[in-house]
Amino acid sequence: MAQAQTTADDAALLAAFAAGDRQAALVLTQRLTPRVMGQAYRMLGNRAEAEDVTQEAMMRLWKIAPDWQAERAQVTTWLYRVVANLCTDRLRKSGRGVALDAIAEPEDDAPSAADGLQTQARAAALQAALADLPDRQAQAVALRHLEELGNPRIAEIMDTNVRTVESLIARGKRALMAKLSGRKSELGYDDDTG
Amino acid sequence: MLDDTFAHIRSDTVPVSDSLMDRIMMDADHVLATAHPLPENTGAAPSRGLGATLLDAIGGWPSAGGLAMATVAGLWIGVAPPAALAGVTDALWGGTYEVPVLNGDLLSALEG
């Protein structure tokens, strides 16, 4: 009920913005920007790039406002799709490999610092491996495991059906495992049980 | 192996900076300004003709209509005064006069 209300509010606010209401833009910015920024940052692992994607996604929202058809999609669904596309585009263009060299060596021998860097290295490796996946596999895996969305919602965002989403996620995760398995010792996975 | 790393990425939140919010609102303002441009204001009052200025001075078109009606009525009274006003017009103009254009001597001279 609350989500339905918010959805209606988002569409109404967007319509008000299209009619010239600046205050509606302010409310939408405050409401939607943290979510958009979070999605972009989790997928890209880089704050500056995530900010660029966030600004671009919101700009597209302002521009589409006059033509928005509330019955066709929720604002948040549309934004998830735009951000996922912008992120995969950016990952593809950057041609980023597994960016472990960019991560500094620990400055001390404290286990906590080393563990933190290892966790950071694993995250960077996973995000880089995500960049090597086909776009739709990367988007499906990110929406499922980084945004924790259900498969029906992912299907709506990706404009496909649930079975296709399940297939994309399964193939994407297998590909990620294959890419990371060759670097298990480098990333310290040999020390782990899981 | 993957699940722990996904969980770590999910837990690594990043705050939204004020500068990003400002940039997003500047974009919104730009789109608004493009879609809803304000009317151009040069600061100068529109120029008006002499006729319009005079019309305003006497009170606009309703006053001009009344003035025209009064003018026509006055002219008509002058041309064909009502019987009740005959005494007044005689007093003002002194009755009627016949003014000879040519006198008898001149007419005789012309006829030879």
Side-chain angles (χ1 to χ4, degrees), chain A residues 2-190:
Chain A
Q3 184 181 351
Q5 182 65 45
T6 303
T7 298
D9 287 350
D10 287 344
L13 286 166
L14 201 54
F17 169 73
D21 183 353
R22 184 180 190 273
Q23 186 64 26
L26 188 60
V27 174
L28 282 171
T29 298
Q30 290 169 342
R31 179 185 293 178
L32 300 174
T33 300
R35 182 192 298 211
V36 172
M37 178 70 185
Q39 183 190 356
Y41 181 68
R42 284 186 286 274
M43 208 159 170
L44 297 170
N46 178 290
R47 181 173 182 153
E49 286 188 303
E51 287 196 348
D52 287 347
V53 164
T54 301
Q55 187 176 357
E56 173 64 23
M58 294 300 289
M59 183 59 156
R60 292 188 184 193
L61 182 65
W62 305 141
K63 286 183 175 176
I64 204 172
D67 303 317
W68 186 258
Q69 295 176 292
E71 68 279 4
R72 290 193 63 183
Q74 297 176 14
V75 173
T76 50
T77 300
W78 182 87
L79 273 174
Y80 271 125
R81 183 184 308 155
V82 168
V83 173
N85 285 333
L86 287 172
C87 286
T88 47
D89 282 352
R90 190 167 278 255
L91 289 169
R92 189 78 53 242
K93 286 174 184 168
S94 70
R96 70 181 62 176
V98 178
L100 291 179
D101 293 344
I103 299 171
E105 292 293 325
E107 290 181 358
D108 58 41
D109 295 331
S112 59
D115 288 349
L117 283 169
Q118 189 172 71
T119 305
Q120 195 178 341
R122 289 175 179 178
L126 193 149
Q127 284 161 327
L130 208 57
D132 287 338
L133 295 184
D135 286 359
R136 287 180 69 76
Q137 284 184 26
Q139 290 170 7
V141 168
L143 290 170
R144 180 72 188 93
H145 291 284
L146 297 181
E147 303 309 310
E148 296 189 293
L149 299 178
N151 289 350
R153 185 82 195 279
I154 297 172
E156 186 185 0
I157 291 167
M158 297 185 68
D159 196 21
T160 186
N161 57 58
V162 172
R163 294 188 68 170
T164 301
V165 168
E166 290 170 350
S167 173
L168 287 169
I169 292 172
R171 283 185 286 145
K173 286 188 74 174
R174 277 199 300 273
L176 283 179
M177 288 293 288
K179 289 175 188 299
L180 295 177
S181 62
R183 308 176 59 206
K184 272 187 173 179
S185 58
E186 183 185 1
L187 296 171
Y189 283 121
D190 288 341

Side-chain angles (χ1 to χ4, degrees), chain B residues 35-78:
Chain B
H36 303 276
L38 292 173
E40 192 174 342
N41 184 3
T42 60
S47 61
R48 294 172 59 81
L50 178 62
T53 305
L54 291 173
L55 191 62
D56 284 349
I58 65 169
W61 281 112
S63 298
L67 186 61
M69 181 83 74
T71 303
V72 170
L75 182 63
W76 181 250
I77 289 170

